[in-house]
Amino acid sequence: MRIGFDAKRAFHNTTGLGNYSRDLIRILSEYFSGEEYYLYNTKPKKVDRLDMTKFTERLPEGKFWKKFSSIWRQGAIVNQIKKDNIDLYHGLSGEIPRNLKSKGIKSVVTIHDLIFVRYPKLYSFFDRKIHFNKFKYAAHNADRVIAISEQTKKDIVSFLKVDSSKIDVIYQGCHAVFKQQVSQEQIKQVKEKYNLPDQFIFNVGTIEERKNLLSIVKAIKDIDIVLVVAGRKTNYFDTVQEYIVEHKLENKILFLGGVDLQELATIYQIAKIFIYPSIFEGFGIPIIEALYSKTPVITSKGGVFPEAGGPNSIYVEPYNINELQQEINTLLNNDEKRKEIAEKGYTFVQKFNDEAIANSIMNLYKQIV
């Protein structure tokens, strides 16, 4: 089978959608090496994290489409997909090109979340309209829709008016680096490079309002612990920084930049607790990464979080500072409980292993084709 992928995020995004794209493409090529994989990219790659000996990359043909690659990705790409004799095209980030069906090309689309509908204030009017129209078109015109969680499936049915029978929930996993035990030498190097303390709690994710970093900062104000944060800064960082300065917490919050995957995996494994009080997620990959790292997780109640965190992670109301503070204190002061939660979380997270995901995806492809 020849399978085509929208690879824009795989080659140009280092976080959520990029990680999903790369991991899915990678595990399919590992478990189903007999298939042919074509990666459709808008322009020369910025992110080089795939073994390209396993894939065929396709860029826009002709000067015009190279210059207007965003338009190419929405429609003209179909001519190249047809020329490559692709059996099935997978839109990995909520979009598919127009007119795939008229060219006889089967398709599937992955929808991660509909946060722009649930939390419209986080997006501009035009971004909301553009996202909604693209996602609705893809969901109604693809042969099947993959939702990355039951929560996302419910939202697709509710907001995009898609029949639930057309939607398959296939969870996503995480990069293999988070599943490997790091060495003492790696720990020593990372601690020295980033000047990490012996004990700290950890948060990963874009520093934006929805991720709710400020709640963690407020919760540790009176706790003798350092918070380490790895994530891209947005305007919301200024709000967090203002609180830090106002309460003289500069020595308790450590912001890291330029952390590579191996370093990130190391930091996960040496953190005392991973805290993720996000308001809403389509899934929450950092939770999975922490569980594979055998680090206990405190995250938000409701939504998708119990799907990702399992029955033994700790759940709090994301804006309840006292509750979050209490749970942090409880875990920091109870080594036995931390160890128990970590071990049970590690057992739970095996359901997101690569082989299970690869089989689910390939079985769906074969059903469609």
Side-chain angles (χ1 to χ4, degrees), residues 121-165:
K121 69 175 185 175
L122 300 177
Y123 298 81
S124 72
F125 172 80
F126 290 107
D127 281 346
R128 292 199 309 271
K129 288 295 183 184
I130 291 168
H131 289 330
F132 185 83
N133 289 334
K134 285 181 177 179
F135 280 40
K136 187 172 183 179
Y137 175 84
H140 283 272
N141 286 276
D143 291 279
R144 300 289 296 180
V145 177
I146 294 174
I148 63 168
S149 67
E150 293 291 346
Q151 176 64 56
T152 296
K153 179 176 180 176
K154 291 175 185 175
D155 285 352
I156 295 168
V157 172
S158 176
F159 296 129
L160 301 183
K161 309 303 180 188
V162 176
D163 194 297
S164 63
S165 64

Side-chain angles (χ1 to χ4, degrees), residues 108-353:
V108 59
V109 64
T110 296
I111 294 180
H112 298 260
D113 60 64
L114 295 173
I115 293 173
F116 57 89
V117 180
R118 281 189 164 272
Y119 297 92
K121 69 175 185 175
L122 300 177
Y123 298 81
S124 72
F125 172 80
F126 290 107
D127 281 346
R128 292 199 309 271
K129 288 295 183 184
I130 291 168
H131 289 330
F132 185 83
N133 289 334
K134 285 181 177 179
F135 280 40
K136 187 172 183 179
Y137 175 84
H140 283 272
N141 286 276
D143 291 279
R144 300 289 296 180
V145 177
I146 294 174
I148 63 168
S149 67
E150 293 291 346
Q151 176 64 56
T152 296
K153 179 176 180 176
K154 291 175 185 175
D155 285 352
I156 295 168
V157 172
S158 176
F159 296 129
L160 301 183
K161 309 303 180 188
V162 176
D163 194 297
S164 63
S165 64
K166 186 181 180 178
I167 306 167
D168 296 88
V169 175
I170 301 178
Y171 292 114
Q172 57 188 115
C174 66
H175 195 280
V177 71
F178 298 103
K179 304 171 187 178
Q180 300 159 0
Q181 182 66 43
V182 299
S183 68
Q184 288 303 309
E185 182 59 29
Q186 287 171 316
I187 291 173
K188 181 174 181 291
Q189 289 174 358
V190 170
K191 288 183 74 172
E192 288 178 354
K193 178 176 179 178
Y194 293 105
N195 196 26
L196 298 176
D198 290 332
Q199 296 198 34
F200 62 90
I201 59 178
F202 193 33
N203 172 260
V204 173
T206 302
I207 303 171
E208 60 184 342
E209 184 177 353
R210 176 171 58 88
K211 303 289 187 179
N212 193 30
L213 174 62
L214 187 56
S215 282
I216 312 177
V217 174
K218 290 180 177 179
I220 68 159
K221 182 168 70 74
D222 299 316
I223 300 176
D224 184 21
I225 194 70
V226 171
L227 167 63
V228 175
V229 181
R232 179 177 59 83
K233 297 174 182 177
T234 69
N235 291 338
Y236 174 72
F237 171 78
D238 296 333
T239 302
V240 177
Q241 186 67 13
E242 185 178 319
Y243 183 91
I244 291 170
V245 172
E246 181 184 347
H247 293 86
K248 298 179 172 59
L249 300 174
E250 291 91 338
N251 293 331
K252 295 185 64 171
I253 319 293
L254 181 58
F255 292 99
L256 307 183
V259 181
D260 68 29
L261 281 178
Q262 183 59 66
E263 292 170 340
L264 188 62
T266 302
I267 299 169
Y268 268 118
Q269 290 189 26
I270 58 178
K272 288 292 182 183
I273 310 168
F274 178 72
I275 307 183
Y276 198 69
S278 177
I279 306 307
F280 189 85
E281 298 288 335
F283 188 56
I285 284 298
I287 295 173
I288 302 301
E289 293 168 350
L291 294 178
Y292 269 115
S293 304
K294 294 188 177 180
T295 300
V297 171
I298 299 175
T299 188
S300 304
K301 289 180 178 175
V304 73
F305 302 103
E307 285 187 69
N312 298 107
S313 292
I314 293 175
Y315 300 94
V316 298
E317 294 293 343
Y319 290 125
N320 190 327
I321 307 305
N322 289 334
E323 184 182 15
L324 179 54
Q325 183 182 65
Q326 181 180 332
E327 296 295 357
I328 293 171
N329 267 322
T330 297
L331 284 188
L332 287 177
N333 295 317
N334 192 330
D335 291 344
E336 206 57 44
K337 185 170 184 179
R338 273 205 324 275
K339 184 179 178 181
E340 178 187 356
I341 289 175
E343 291 295 337
K344 288 182 176 178
Y346 183 74
T347 299
F348 167 79
V349 82
Q350 301 310 310
K351 69 186 286 186
F352 305 116
N353 70 57

